[in-house]
Amino acid sequence: MDTKFSIAIHILILVSESPNPMNSDQMAGSAGTNASYIRKILALLKRAGIVDSRRGIGGYSLAVPPEQLTLLQIYQAVTEETNVHLLDIHQNPNDQCVVGRHIQPVLTGVFADTEAVFARSLAGKTLADCIAGIRKRLEPPQSE
């Protein structure tokens, strides 16, 4: 399974919350991957207008406020898809089989519905929501 989406969220939170500009080596250390993979993801995010790179100082900044940056926008940037595409249908079912003859149109509808629900869910969540979730986990437990 591809991890570009979760790593993109990870590095965008780092960029948003770090008091100092971060480079790809630092981001890779946090995400547990290599810096070249981080640079590939950053290039996709930059192409989508989500991050800007800083010349001279090195590092990246958000081009979109976290409250306005939906998870769907991030997903679409790193998957390079304008539509959510999660599920594939096998391409060569046997037309001589009653299931093979009808499986593609049946699954096309089911999968499209599932992907629409997923897209709506991502569109309703922002990078700020993820940041808030991390901050909440950092709070000490409340004793009663």
Side-chain angles (χ1 to χ4, degrees), residues 72 75 83-88 106-122:
L72 181 59
Y75 176 87
N83 296 313
V84 173
H85 183 73
L86 300 171
L87 307 166
D88 285 321
V106 169
L107 290 182
T108 296
V110 171
F111 290 2
D113 291 346
T114 302
E115 290 168 345
V117 169
F118 180 73
R120 279 193 305 277
S121 178
L122 291 181

Side-chain angles (χ1 to χ4, degrees), residues 9-136:
I9 294 169
H10 186 127
I11 63 178
L12 288 170
I13 292 171
L14 287 172
V15 167
S16 173
E17 298 302 294
S18 177
N20 302 312
M22 294 187 76
N23 62 39
S24 58
D25 288 324
Q26 294 166 316
M27 292 179 209
S30 177
T33 189
N34 64 63
S36 70
Y37 190 60
I38 296 294
R39 286 189 293 274
K40 287 177 186 176
I41 294 171
L42 285 165
L44 294 170
L45 295 170
K46 187 172 180 174
R47 186 179 320 143
I50 293 172
V51 296
D52 289 321
S53 56
R54 298 179 181 175
R55 293 194 183 268
I57 318 170
Y60 293 82
S61 62
L62 287 181
V64 179
E67 301 78 21
Q68 295 174 15
L69 182 55
T70 69
L71 297 187
L72 181 59
Q73 290 169 296
I74 299 166
Y75 176 87
Q76 289 172 332
V78 298
T79 60
E80 302 179 90
E81 300 253 349
T82 53
N83 296 313
V84 173
H85 183 73
L86 300 171
L87 307 166
D88 285 321
I89 301 171
H90 56 294
Q91 294 302 306
N92 299 308
N94 183 345
D95 241 9
Q96 302 306 309
C97 169
V98 66
V99 175
R101 187 170 40 256
H102 300 285
I103 193 69
Q104 287 180 327
V106 169
L107 290 182
T108 296
V110 171
F111 290 2
D113 291 346
T114 302
E115 290 168 345
V117 169
F118 180 73
R120 279 193 305 277
S121 178
L122 291 181
K125 293 176 179 50
T126 65
L127 185 65
D129 295 329
C130 295
I131 293 168
I134 287 177
R135 287 184 179 153
K136 184 172 182 164

